[in-house]
Amino acid sequence: MEFRAEKKWTTQAIAQLTEEDIAWAPTAESNSIANLVAHIWGTVRQRVEIVFFDVADTRDREKEFEKGLVMSKETALELIRKSFDPIIQVLEALKSNPTEELLRQPYLHMPPLTYSALNNSSRVLEIMIQMLHHLPGRTAQMIYIAKMRNGQLEWQ
């Protein structure tokens, strides 16, 4: 499954970095790994967890992109896990009743979505497709930054 692979490669890259590396950004306009981790977690929390796991929408998108955001390696690894595990859980649950569940519109009775490529009439299938388009781009950025900082990375 694509999300398991993204989680694996991202956690392996982050594990090889220092906390200074996690906070480092290639340019003043670029995001750091800390920014990208915070953004992934905010995105998944807002678009997946509030619907499938009934958590409150506490996202502060502006904070995700604050310049100089500092995050420990342990926090970065934990937030990556917290980001990918719910998506994997939802996809595993879809196996039991894919047709009906994929066509469900879980946002219909919620306040209008903010900062989202989705809208309140989006179906579960569209949510998962959007996650598949959005997250690998962010994880690729993190791996690229990790290579910039550490040179050759070791993969298992």
Side-chain angles (χ1 to χ4, degrees):
M1 177 186 302
E2 179 72 22
F3 292 110
R4 283 192 177 103
E6 293 296 324
K7 176 184 170 186
K8 176 183 176 181
W9 303 127
T10 305
T11 55
Q12 284 186 24
I14 291 171
Q16 296 175 58
L17 300 175
T18 66
E19 292 183 9
E20 180 181 317
D21 296 331
I22 292 168
W24 179 82
T27 69
E29 296 81 28
S30 299
N31 292 312
S32 67
I33 289 175
N35 293 125
L36 294 164
V37 168
H39 178 60
I40 287 174
W41 187 60
T43 300
V44 171
R45 191 157 177 88
Q46 185 180 56
R47 298 181 192 169
V48 176
E49 289 189 76
I50 63 171
V51 171
F52 297 99
F53 299 97
D54 197 29
V55 301
D57 183 5
T58 57
R59 186 176 191 190
D60 182 353
R61 191 172 186 278
E62 285 76 28
K63 188 172 182 168
E64 296 166 15
F65 295 106
E66 280 181 356
K67 298 305 170 197
L69 181 65
V70 176
M71 180 181 294
S72 72
K73 183 191 306 193
E74 291 77 25
T75 299
L77 291 168
E78 178 69 10
L79 290 180
I80 288 296
R81 185 190 64 74
K82 283 181 169 183
S83 297
F84 283 95
D85 287 353
I87 295 171
I88 294 166
Q89 242 182 304
V90 168
L91 291 172
E92 288 295 327
L94 286 173
K95 290 179 181 178
S96 65
N97 191 3
T99 305
E100 183 179 320
E101 186 60 23
L102 285 171
L103 297 178
R104 188 169 68 86
Q105 295 174 292
Y107 299 134
L108 276 178
H109 305 292
M110 297 176 69
L113 297 176
T114 58
Y115 303 117
S116 183
L118 303 167
N119 62 50
N120 287 68
S121 63
S122 295
R123 299 180 186 283
V124 170
L125 178 61
E126 294 163 320
I127 297 168
M128 292 300 125
I129 289 171
Q130 202 279 330
M131 292 289 99
L132 189 58
H133 284 287
H134 188 72
L135 299 186
R138 301 300 187 205
T139 58
Q141 289 175 308
M142 287 190 272
I143 291 169
Y144 185 71
I145 293 169
K147 287 180 177 182
M148 290 174 76
R149 293 297 287 179
N150 205 34
Q152 185 66 30
L153 297 173
E154 294 183 27
W155 306 105
Q156 297 175 3

